Amino acid sequence: HHCLLVGYGADGINPYLAFEALAHSRDAGLLDKDIDLVGDYRQAVAKGMHRPFLVADLPFMSYPSRELALANSVRLMQEGGARMVKLESGAEQVRIVEFLASHDIAVCAHLGLRPQSVHKTGGFRVQGREQDAAKRMLQTALDLQSAGADIVLLECIPADLGSEITAALDVPVIGIGAGPGTNGQIQVIYDILD
């Protein structure tokens, strides 16, 4: 499905769902336990893509420290063919983004609904509805930009907050359920077809 999307002009593809399906198959014993999904899968996707810009998600708990974030980012770029890494961000990740940027790692900072933290944040629900939460998110977005984030991804936030953050930042802002006021949109094919 990645090649089909590229053929229709997609500029970027996040192969996360297919990656998760392979991980589940490995964990269920259907694939060799020694398979290196992070490296092998992203490398295969990168080989099949000639134009798009491959952004690789840093997996859950792969960036609890600056040093681990750097080591795992380098691996995704060298072995997996990624050109940028994405990490679910908050105020606590500003130092990690700054560290990665200082080592010439292109970073996409993800704010709003953070699927890796869904159990801590109360489930899959809109983030930033309350005025204080919206102010904190705007400030965090500004701090992440100052730290060196090259792109900010906003997921599942009110449309007016998406527009406000986009207007405040100089870097591109991509929305996934953040309203039409962002610089670009992510469309999840499985959501569209459902």
Side-chain angles (χ1 to χ4, degrees):
H1 65 283
H2 306 306
C3 294
L4 176 66
L5 292 171
V6 171
Y8 281 100
D11 291 320
I13 295 170
N14 181 344
Y16 186 74
L17 185 58
F19 176 78
E20 284 299 312
L22 286 172
H24 178 73
S25 295
R26 181 199 58 201
D27 295 344
L30 301 172
L31 295 174
D32 183 357
K33 290 276 187 198
D34 295 327
I35 192 170
D36 176 13
L37 288 178
V38 173
D40 293 346
Y41 182 73
R42 288 190 175 95
Q43 189 175 40
V45 170
K47 279 184 182 179
M49 298 170 60
H50 302 289
R51 183 176 56 90
F53 189 86
L54 182 62
V55 179
D57 282 303
L58 281 167
F60 180 68
M61 291 307 294
S62 67
Y63 51 98
S65 70
R66 297 181 316 168
E67 294 74 18
L68 274 174
L70 179 61
N72 288 318
S73 296
V74 167
R75 181 168 180 230
L76 288 174
M77 296 177 95
Q78 290 179 341
E79 297 175 21
R83 293 175 147 187
M84 176 180 279
V85 297
K86 181 182 80 65
L87 66 145
E88 295 186 6
S89 304
E92 59 279 359
Q93 274 78 38
V94 170
R95 291 184 51 217
I96 290 174
V97 169
E98 185 174 47
F99 189 71
L100 292 175
S102 75
H103 286 84
D104 297 324
I105 303 290
V107 177
C108 173
H110 183 156
L111 291 172
L113 177 67
R114 300 176 302 172
Q116 293 177 7
S117 304
V118 73
H119 299 294
K120 185 172 176 116
T121 59
F124 290 96
R125 61 183 182 83
V126 176
Q127 304 293 308
R129 280 189 173 152
E130 298 79 25
Q131 188 174 12
D132 288 344
K135 284 182 183 180
R136 281 193 309 274
M137 193 179 302
L138 172 59
Q139 185 58 54
T140 300
L142 290 165
D143 293 344
L144 288 162
Q145 175 182 262
S146 295
D150 300 283
I151 294 175
V152 172
L153 172 68
L154 302 174
E155 182 170 355
C156 199
I157 66 169
D160 57 340
L161 180 57
S163 295
E164 182 181 0
I165 291 173
T166 301
L169 298 182
D170 295 321
V171 299
V173 177
I174 308 299
I176 179 169
T182 58
N183 302 118
Q185 300 288 322
I186 290 179
Q187 299 296 319
V188 178
I189 190 87
Y190 302 101
D191 291 344
I192 293 170
L193 296 175
D194 189 20

